[in-house]
Amino acid sequence: MLGLEAQDPLRILKMVKICCIGAGYVGGPTMAVIALKCPEIEVAVVDISVSRITAWNSDVLPIYEPGLDEVVKKCRGKNLFFSTDVEKHVSEADIVFVSVNTPTKTQGLGAGKAADLTYWESAARMIADVSKSNKIVVEKSTVPVKTAEAIEKILNHNSKGIDFQILSNPEFLAEGTAIQDLFNPDRVLIGGRETPGGQKAIEALRDVYAHWVPVDRIICTNLWSAELSKLAANAFLAQRISSVNAMSALCEATGADVSQVSHAVGKDTRIGPKFLNASVGFGGSCFQKDILNLVYICECNGLPEVANYWKQVIKINDYQKTRFVNRIVSSMFNTVSGKKIAILGFAFKKDTGDTRETPAIDVCKGLLGDKARLSIYDPQVNEEQIQRDLAMNKFDWDHPVHLQPMSPTSIKQVNVVWDAYAATKDAHGVCILTEWDEFKTLDYQRIYDNMRKPAFIFDGRNVVDEAKLRAIGFIVYSIGKPLDQWLKDMPAVA
Ligand code: NAI
């Protein structure tokens, strides 16, 4: 039974309705799983982007996520609906999730760090305008601490007597495993006001999740703890990656092997084995943005030492990408001008087509800066997206698609192909930038035979067997592994 029913006995006669504003990587999969697990709840996902909603209603969903198609197909048209009629669905809903973009500000106060809450604010104002009944408004987007207070003010100053309860329910899913994470979350976090109304709202949302999540995994806190926990969790995760990446540089300098070091370190149960793979750097829409946000909040609260501590996580990530590009250029006789470099993988990690903040963007831009010709293959990312990403300014990606500033020209030195063998044919070097499983089992002998010599492989994800590739004849660079003699002779300065 939903807590809402206790609030208003008439509701027991009515189907509970949920509306989610924002049909993106979070809103779409999260709501599809709620619809699947709660057949008696009607779920509408709304968006201002017509193309996104059209795709959600088609056979080719706008995002690639293993298992998502099946969930959507089971519920769509029954209790799951995708629509651009934002106002209608919001006005009819009992619970409104808001999962819109929260980009980093590019102008004005806090530029380059603070979260831009334009989309959030416009959603809140619209909710206040169209509401005719009491609502629970749930922050699903990742927002700065105390955003709920601002949202509350907007809603309550325009409420016309309607009761709005604000909850923070940050999403912890990881792209690539979103459906699995939603089916079996480590925890669900719900923050609310410590008032009777706030507690009832928490209960109502807890009842939704309790359809499939064990209650001991549903954590209820105050609003500010929930908001901060999301930023803290992402900062801790990104910090682990930067820690192991920092070690990878030291491994290369000393002859240690980063995978052996990670394995030994991760065996300590206090540390654990996950998230200890060295790589070309972290990407994705959240880590950098959320840390910048955290840094800004620390600075605003007079905590520069804490701000600087977290800033370093991003600096190491940038250093790792630069270091990778420098290794490539220095190994190839200090220039890649006019040389064909194959890029295998563009998504920020495997099993997603998401390219937001992917390290591939910075690596490709670095190589293009040295006038390389790039031939790019990713099994889930198309040419239009890659050209868009390489032409876009930093932070512009985090706006609804139809509002993203677009460069009118595509980059001529970039060629996107649909096959790893086509990408590597006649190439001087190969860079592996996403850990797609298929890159482990490519016919590297065939690739070697069709490349220019000496043939280089720069493995930014440690997916290849270096010994086998060296036996074929490749010069191999794997992050954090003992260096090939060739690379020892041509040290890269980051
Ligand atoms: P997204 O960009 O895929 O989706 C956001 C959607 O909101 C877009 O389709 C946009 O058109 C729509 N939108 C913006 N303003 C709107 C408005 N006023 N009315 C209706 N629709 C509007 O973003 P994504 O990845 O789903 O992220 C959403 C939030 O969740 C962000 O705050 C993000 O930081 C957070 N988050 C993202 C995770 C991820 O893995 N992508 C994980 C956890 C949190």
Side-chain angles (χ1 to χ4, degrees):
M1 268 224 305
L2 283 167
L4 268 180
E5 289 159 3
Q7 216 176 331
D8 176 0
L10 284 179
R11 285 197 187 277
I12 207 145
L13 304 172
K14 206 181 105 186
M15 193 181 191
V16 167
K17 289 190 176 180
I18 287 180
C19 174
C20 175
I21 306 175
Y25 286 87
V26 170
T30 315
M31 292 303 124
V33 169
I34 290 183
L36 182 77
K37 300 291 186 181
C38 312
E40 81 286 11
I41 297 180
E42 190 180 299
V43 182
V45 191
V46 297
D47 203 294
I48 45 174
S49 162
V50 177
S51 62
R52 269 230 161 141
I53 291 299
T54 308
W56 278 111
N57 282 319
S58 76
D59 286 337
V60 186
L61 302 183
I63 62 178
Y64 170 70
E65 215 24 93
L68 177 63
D69 274 34
E70 290 81 347
V71 177
V72 171
K73 272 183 199 144
K74 273 189 194 152
C75 312
R76 196 172 54 191
K78 292 186 188 128
N79 67 331
L80 175 66
F81 303 92
F82 294 94
S83 168
T84 49
D85 198 344
V86 180
E87 298 188 357
K88 170 182 176 286
H89 289 287
V90 169
S91 83
E92 289 174 357
D94 304 294
I95 303 178
V96 181
F97 286 84
V98 185
S99 184
V100 299
N101 317 66
T102 47
T104 304
K105 275 182 89 169
T106 48
Q107 288 175 340
L109 192 66
K113 279 181 275 192
D116 175 351
L117 293 176
T118 310
Y119 300 110
W120 238 107
E121 184 174 337
S122 92
R125 289 187 187 279
M126 183 271 300
I127 296 170
D129 279 352
V130 305
S131 292
K132 295 187 191 72
S133 57
N134 296 349
K135 296 198 190 314
I136 296 174
V137 176
V138 185
E139 289 177 342
K140 199 54 158 161
S141 303
T142 307
V143 289
V145 187
K146 296 276 174 182
T147 299
E149 200 164 68
I151 302 304
E152 240 171 18
K153 283 186 184 140
I154 293 173
L155 291 170
N156 291 337
H157 278 84
N158 297 281
S159 73
K160 298 164 285 191
I162 289 165
D163 179 49
F164 291 108
Q165 288 296 332
I166 321 292
L167 297 179
S168 165
N169 172 220
E171 185 49 58
F172 293 100
L173 66 79
E175 286 176 32
T177 52
I179 297 300
Q180 212 178 300
D181 296 343
L182 288 164
F183 278 175
N184 190 21
D186 290 338
R187 79 305 211 183
V188 165
L189 180 57
I190 305 174
R193 282 278 184 203
E194 286 153 316
T195 57
Q199 294 302 303
K200 269 190 183 159
I202 290 181
E203 238 173 75
L205 188 57
R206 194 176 51 194
D207 288 346
V208 172
Y209 285 108
H211 279 74
W212 78 97
V213 180
V215 280
D216 60 351
R217 284 202 222 157
I218 305 177
I219 303 172
C220 301
T221 66
N222 74 27
L223 272 171
W224 327 128
S225 301
E227 287 179 338
L228 183 56
S229 299
K230 174 64 192 175
L231 295 181
N234 273 350
F236 277 46
L237 289 169
Q239 182 201 40
R240 263 176 95 92
I241 299 179
S242 280
S243 296
V244 74
N245 282 345
M247 286 299 161
S248 75
L250 189 57
C251 286
E252 288 168 31
T254 57
D257 180 329
V258 75
S259 38
Q260 294 175 352
V261 173
S262 296
H263 180 69
V265 169
K267 279 286 174 194
D268 185 325
T269 50
R270 291 168 303 176
I271 297 173
K274 291 185 182 166
F275 249 65
L276 284 180
N277 289 332
S279 70
V280 61
F282 60 72
S285 65
C286 297
F287 284 175
Q288 172 166 299
K289 178 174 80 170
D290 293 354
I291 293 176
L292 288 172
N293 203 333
L294 189 65
V295 165
Y296 183 67
I297 296 169
C298 293
E299 286 171 353
C300 291
N301 282 284
L303 301 168
E305 288 79 6
V306 185
N308 286 337
Y309 174 76
W310 289 110
K311 231 186 251 174
Q312 201 58 32
V313 172
I314 295 178
K315 282 192 183 162
I316 287 287
N317 199 47
D318 289 339
Y319 165 77
Q320 189 77 342
K321 290 181 273 189
T322 309
R323 211 166 71 74
F324 189 76
V325 172
N326 290 355
R327 278 278 184 221
I328 299 170
V329 178
S330 68
S331 318
M332 299 174 81
F333 315 104
N334 245 352
T335 177
V336 287
S337 179
K339 291 177 185 166
K340 176 174 171 179
I341 310 278
I343 303 290
L344 300 187
F346 198 82
F348 84 93
K349 65 171 173 176
K350 75 170 182 179
D351 291 339
T352 176
D354 193 355
T355 59
R356 296 176 293 177
E357 292 289 354
T358 174
I361 294 175
D362 286 334
V363 171
C364 289
K365 282 185 174 171
L367 294 171
L368 289 168
D370 218 300
K371 297 201 172 61
R373 290 181 297 120
L374 304 182
S375 188
I376 305 178
Y377 164 65
D378 186 290
Q380 285 297 333
V381 188
N382 63 27
E383 175 158 18
E384 192 203 335
Q385 186 63 51
I386 290 173
Q387 285 287 359
R388 241 183 137 86
D389 288 333
L390 292 176
M392 224 180 307
N393 291 324
K394 203 165 170 60
F395 302 131
D396 278 354
W397 53 267
D398 202 1
H399 293 269
V401 171
H402 59 288
L403 301 177
Q404 285 172 8
M406 269 299 291
S407 156
T409 52
S410 58
I411 301 168
K412 286 190 198 64
Q413 305 95 296
V414 172
N415 179 29
V416 178
V417 294
W418 276 106
D419 172 39
Y421 299 105
T424 52
K425 188 166 182 344
D426 294 324
H428 294 255
V430 176
C431 299
I432 301 176
L433 299 183
T434 313
E435 71 281 22
W436 286 104
D437 288 337
E438 65 179 74
F439 299 155
K440 290 182 189 155
T441 53
L442 290 171
D443 180 348
Y444 282 101
Q445 182 67 57
R446 177 177 162 198
I447 289 176
Y448 180 79
D449 292 344
N450 288 322
M451 281 177 67
R452 303 289 187 91
K453 309 294 176 324
F456 296 86
I457 290 213
F458 303 93
D459 184 0
R461 297 286 178 169
N462 288 348
V463 294
V464 300
D465 180 335
E466 311 114 81
K468 268 194 194 153
L469 295 198
R470 286 195 182 115
I472 292 173
F474 282 107
I475 294 161
V476 186
Y477 167 67
S478 291
I479 285 188
K481 302 289 183 87
L483 290 180
D484 211 295
Q485 192 55 46
W486 184 288
L487 286 116
K488 272 192 195 150
D489 295 341
M490 299 191 182
V493 183

